[in-house]
């Protein structure tokens, strides 16, 4: 009998005894590790060297089997006692029809079912259509986890991911990446510090600082998830979404964003900044649609419009911003509107503001303060020129008031009022229908002449240095001058006219103050509206 055949026979016999002894020992100790011995299925030549009595050298077309995996190589050192082997040349592991692993060298530990594969390593998950490329890979078959630590790439039909360290779990079809992570997709590129990727649904979970770049813009985030197939994402921790022109910046505590539709729902501390139209929209809850070019905010909603030298601070229950061509921006405010600018303040039920035309419209219970004047009506249209008030159109229950002292109010009232300003001074007023006025003419020494009350169909007034320069009444005019000591208290004020300074926004923070009209004011307004 040739020597090498005799050696093979002795090795097989010894293996049988060792396997039996190992199994018996493990049953006694209850060890959690694998109790199965590595099986030699095929080798063209087996050699046992005197210098390594526990190692069998397997040469040419080597096949070994362990716990459901077939392992092939050109040659191997097989240590039957330690239940390990080193494989060299065209190393392959086939675990069922799913996992196929190959490389140039592998050390395999049968006790812990650990395969350490080196050089030109490729792991294929054929069920998931996922391939992992690296130069050094450890595959823990017990936990069914493969990980690399010196650079690697995972490729599936949707994306290609690279990192310094990576881990792949075939059962979960989940890959984890750390350090210099890059995801290259069909629609976007993600650069991250730490990332998880599910090959089943193509969702990337962001676990550290990350940048998502696409042809529609950039996303900066540190936590959330991004579906690379549908381009839908949930972004946390005050993430930032920037449009492709870098002119719009959307932030929030949480943003549910769809990149394909350029649509986002924001929850908590929403801020939308449009640097072209010079508008900032804030709120605790909001929505943004880049395709429709609109956004809205609610819950402590606030808009800052800074296209002119002074910023307008606007608050309402709901704020809406519509972006139009030529950098036109339309701000709309609904319910409990309050706004402040250093030279003009106002309250209303709703408001529209066209930033290009500088046209501001207030609707329902509208009150406006400009310099020392108060303007009120059912609706007020404010026309601006060079960022200052140029004229106003007041409709229905319209009146203008100037307070002279705690008792004296200059008042103009009518169905429609057109007022024209210059340098924040009232210059001309035209009252159309049911015109009434109360004025307190003054001498040069500023002493009051008396109480002047008029009624007519129409009034035209011209002012100079806040004094009536010219007055024209027509259509059955009535006028009465009364000395101040003889004026009755009920004649001091026109019906439906109130000095509402207590609801006036005093500064940019005061726009959030909730103020209700006094009951007597509301009652008089309702009664006045019922009067034929």
């Amino acid at each position: 009998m040739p020597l090498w055949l005799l050696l093979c026979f002795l090795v097989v016999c010894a293996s049988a005894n060792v396997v039996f002894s190992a199994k018996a020992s493990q049953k006694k100790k209850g060890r959690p590790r694998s109790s199965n011995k590595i099986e030699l299925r095929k080798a063209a030549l087996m050699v046992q060297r005197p210098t390594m009595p526990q190692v069998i050298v397997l040469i040419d077309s080597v096949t070994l089997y362990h716990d459901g995996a077939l392992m092939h190589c050109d040659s191997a050192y097989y240590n039957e006692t330690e239940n390990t082997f080193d494989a060299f040349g065209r190393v392959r592991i086939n675990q069922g029809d799913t996992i196929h692993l190959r490389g140039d060298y592998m050390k395999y530990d049968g006790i812990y079912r650990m395969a350490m594969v080196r050089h030109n390593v490729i792991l294929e998950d054929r069920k998931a259509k996922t391939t992992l490329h690296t130069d050094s890979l450890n595959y823990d078959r017990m936990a069914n986890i493969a990980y690399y630590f010196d650079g690697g790439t995972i490729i599936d039909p949707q994306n290609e991911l690279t990192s310094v360290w990576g881990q792949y779990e075939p059962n979960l079809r989940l890959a984890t990446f750390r350090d210099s992570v890059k995801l290259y997709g069909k629609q976007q590129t993600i650069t991250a510090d730490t990332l998880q990727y599910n090959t089943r649904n193509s969702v990337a979970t962001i676990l550290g600082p990350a940048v998502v770049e696409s042809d529609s813009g950039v996303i900066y985030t540190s936590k959330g998830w991004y579906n690379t197939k549908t381009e839908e994402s949930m972004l946390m921790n005050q993430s930032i979404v920037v449009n492709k022109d870098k002119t719009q910046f959307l932030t929030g505590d949480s943003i549910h964003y769809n990149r394909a539709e350029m649509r986002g729902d924001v929850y908590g501390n929403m801020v939308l900044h449009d640097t072209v139209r010079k508008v900032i929209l804030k709120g605790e809850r909001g929505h943004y649609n880049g395709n429709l070019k609109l956004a809205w905010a609610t819950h402590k909603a606030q808009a800052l419009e800074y296209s002119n030298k002074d910023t307008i601070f606007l608050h309402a229950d709901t704020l809406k911003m519509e972006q139009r061509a030529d950098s036109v921006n339309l701000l709309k405010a609904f319910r409990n509107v309050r706004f402040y600018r250093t030279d003009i303040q106002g309250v209303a039920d709703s408001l529209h503001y066209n930033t290009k035309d500088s046209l501001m419209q207030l609707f329902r219970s509208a009150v406006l303060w400009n310099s020392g004047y108060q303007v009120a009506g059912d609706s007020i249209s404010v026309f601006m020129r060079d960022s200052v008030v140029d004229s106003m159109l007041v409709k229905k229950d319209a009146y203008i008031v100037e307070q002279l002292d705690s008792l004296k109010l200059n008042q103009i009232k009518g169905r429609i009022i057109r007022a024209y300003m210059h340098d924040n001074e009232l210059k001309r007023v035209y009252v159309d229908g049911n015109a009434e006025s109360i004025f307190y003419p003054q001498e040069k020494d500023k002493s009051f002449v008396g109480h002047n009350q008029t009624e007519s169909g129409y009034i035209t007034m011209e002012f100079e240095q806040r004094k009536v320069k010219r007055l024209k009444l027509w259509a059955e005019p009535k006028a009465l001058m009364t000395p101040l000591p003889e004026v009755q208290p009920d004649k001091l004020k026109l019906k439906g006219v109130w000095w509402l300074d207590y609801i006036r926004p005093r500064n940019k923070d005061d726009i959030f103050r909730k103020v209700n009209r006094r009951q007597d004011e509301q009652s008089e307004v309702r009664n006045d509206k019922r009067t034929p």
Side-chain angles (χ1 to χ4, degrees):
M1 178 183 292
L3 178 61
W4 69 271
L5 285 177
L6 179 60
L7 288 172
C8 289
F9 176 76
L10 293 173
V11 166
V12 171
C13 292
S15 297
N17 290 329
V18 171
V19 168
F20 177 80
S21 301
K23 285 184 177 180
S25 175
Q26 283 190 340
K27 282 182 180 180
K28 287 180 180 179
K29 295 181 181 181
R31 295 163 59 187
R33 297 169 288 182
S34 174
S35 60
N36 297 326
K37 296 296 292 185
I38 299 169
E39 300 177 20
L40 173 61
R41 293 285 180 91
K42 181 181 177 183
L45 180 64
M46 295 186 297
V47 178
Q48 194 164 26
R49 296 175 179 175
T51 56
M52 296 186 295
Q54 293 182 328
V55 175
I56 300 174
V57 179
L58 308 174
I59 301 173
D60 194 8
S61 303
V62 178
T63 299
L64 298 121
Y65 176 82
H66 186 247
D67 286 349
L70 282 171
M71 293 165 273
H72 310 273
C73 59
D74 288 342
S75 60
Y77 288 169
Y78 174 37
N79 189 319
E80 197 173 23
T81 303
E82 296 182 1
N83 204 25
T84 64
F85 70 85
D86 292 77
F88 307 90
R90 293 187 295 178
V91 176
R92 289 171 293 142
I93 296 179
N94 296 333
Q95 187 169 294
D97 297 328
T98 303
I99 299 300
H100 293 255
L101 175 61
R102 58 185 183 271
D104 294 341
Y105 166 79
M106 175 176 69
K107 183 172 184 63
Y108 185 80
D109 187 326
I111 296 175
Y112 294 100
R113 293 169 62 183
M114 174 70 76
M116 291 166 281
V117 189
R118 303 292 183 264
H119 310 307
N120 303 312
V121 182
I122 299 175
L123 183 147
E124 292 180 89
D125 185 344
R126 296 185 177 179
K127 185 177 180 180
K129 298 180 180 179
T130 301
T131 305
L132 189 160
H133 298 263
T134 185
D135 206 51
S136 298
L137 181 78
N138 290 351
Y139 179 35
D140 184 345
R141 295 187 58 231
M142 192 79 74
N144 200 19
I145 296 175
Y147 58 93
Y148 59 84
F149 38 83
D150 197 22
T153 302
I154 291 181
I155 302 171
D156 73 354
Q158 194 71 25
N159 300 289
E160 177 180 322
L161 299 99
T162 65
S163 66
V164 174
W165 184 95
Q167 174 181 289
Y168 181 65
E169 301 174 67
N171 286 344
L172 302 177
R173 292 173 63 175
L174 183 67
T176 303
F177 304 88
R178 295 194 190 103
D179 195 354
S180 305
V181 183
K182 277 275 191 180
L183 183 152
Y184 301 94
K186 297 175 182 178
Q187 307 295 336
Q188 68 286 308
T189 300
I190 301 178
T191 304
D193 175 72
T194 304
L195 189 77
Q196 281 189 336
Y197 179 70
N198 192 313
T199 61
R200 192 186 310 276
N201 54 22
S202 302
V203 171
T205 301
I206 298 165
L207 302 172
V211 180
V212 183
E213 299 177 88
S214 66
D215 56 1
S216 66
V218 183
I219 296 172
Y220 300 92
T221 186
S222 61
K223 184 179 180 181
W225 55 262
Y226 189 99
N227 190 317
T228 61
K229 190 178 294 183
T230 65
E231 300 180 74
E232 184 180 11
S233 61
M234 177 59 81
L235 312 169
M236 310 290 193
N237 292 356
Q238 277 288 304
S239 300
I240 304 174
V241 179
V242 185
N243 69 341
K244 64 179 179 180
D245 299 322
K246 293 180 172 60
T247 59
Q248 290 182 344
F249 302 82
L250 176 67
T251 66
D253 290 345
S254 302
I255 305 175
H256 187 196
Y257 185 68
N258 189 307
R259 191 206 69 87
E261 299 177 4
M262 294 177 63
R263 173 176 51 80
D265 291 298
V266 188
Y267 308 88
N269 295 306
M270 169 193 170
V271 179
L272 174 61
H273 188 182
D274 189 323
T275 59
V276 172
R277 295 166 179 84
K278 299 187 185 326
V279 176
I280 300 173
L281 186 64
K282 298 181 178 182
E284 288 300 309
R285 171 84 168 85
H287 175 81
Y288 168 78
N289 192 315
N291 289 329
L292 298 179
K293 296 184 177 179
L294 63 85
W296 56 259
T298 63
H299 298 84
K300 296 185 179 179
Q302 181 184 14
L304 288 71
E305 201 282 331
Y306 61 97
S307 61
N308 297 308
K309 62 180 181 180
D310 287 330
T311 300
I312 293 177
F313 298 87
L314 172 65
H315 165 67
D317 289 356
T318 302
L319 291 174
K320 186 177 180 181
M321 182 172 68
E322 297 179 6
Q323 303 155 17
R324 299 182 181 179
D326 303 324
S327 299
V328 174
N329 202 70
L330 183 61
L331 276 174
K332 294 182 179 181
F334 304 96
R335 295 189 62 79
N336 300 313
V337 175
R338 291 173 63 82
F339 73 89
Y340 173 86
R341 199 174 78 173
T342 54
D343 61 331
I344 185 172
Q345 305 87 40
V347 299
D349 181 74
S350 60
L351 175 147
H352 291 180
Y353 180 47
N354 188 315
T355 59
K356 185 174 184 180
D357 297 336
S358 295
L359 171 61
M360 180 184 291
Q361 296 173 287
L362 292 80
F363 304 98
R364 296 188 62 187
S365 303
V367 186
L368 190 84
W369 293 268
N370 178 234
S371 187
Y373 302 101
Q374 173 190 291
V375 182
D378 190 67
S379 69
I380 304 174
S381 297
V382 184
F383 303 88
M384 299 186 190
R385 180 180 295 178
D386 297 329
S387 79
V388 297
V389 177
D390 182 67
S391 63
M392 291 177 280
L393 175 63
V394 191
K395 295 182 179 180
K396 194 177 180 182
D397 302 317
Y399 64 89
I400 300 176
V401 180
E402 179 188 22
Q403 187 180 44
L404 302 176
D405 59 33
S406 59
L407 294 176
K408 300 179 187 67
L409 301 173
N410 284 337
Q411 305 159 54
I412 307 171
K413 179 185 176 184
R415 185 170 56 87
I416 297 175
I417 297 178
R418 293 178 177 87
Y420 301 89
M421 312 288 291
H422 182 70
D423 291 336
N424 282 328
E425 293 286 342
L426 192 63
K427 290 300 179 182
R428 185 160 52 92
V429 173
Y430 174 69
V431 184
D432 184 350
N434 303 324
E436 299 179 71
S437 72
I438 291 178
F439 271 86
Y440 295 86
Q442 292 177 275
E443 299 287 2
K444 289 184 179 180
D445 63 358
K446 294 189 178 181
S447 62
F448 293 103
V449 176
H451 173 278
N452 186 22
Q453 183 168 356
T454 70
E455 293 182 14
S456 60
Y458 306 91
I459 297 178
T460 299
M461 289 184 177
E462 294 182 12
F463 298 84
E464 188 174 286
Q465 295 181 352
R466 289 184 177 266
K467 295 180 181 180
V468 178
K469 179 182 179 182
R470 187 175 289 108
L471 172 64
K472 181 180 179 181
L473 311 172
W474 70 96
E476 300 180 359
K478 295 178 183 179
L480 178 64
M481 176 70 77
T482 305
L484 290 181
E486 299 177 13
V487 179
Q488 298 298 315
D490 61 342
K491 298 296 183 181
L492 292 174
K493 184 180 70 67
L494 296 172
K495 191 174 183 180
V497 172
W498 297 93
W499 181 244
L500 301 170
D501 197 56
Y502 70 95
I503 66 173
R504 182 180 190 173
R506 298 296 177 182
N507 52 56
K508 64 183 179 64
D509 298 316
D510 197 41
I511 60 175
F512 295 102
R513 178 167 58 101
K514 292 185 178 181
V515 186
N516 295 319
R517 292 281 295 270
R518 292 168 181 159
Q519 192 65 38
D520 56 342
E521 296 170 357
Q522 296 176 356
S523 299
E524 183 171 314
V525 169
R526 287 195 296 268
N527 294 332
D528 193 40
K529 288 182 178 180
R530 287 196 292 266
T531 303

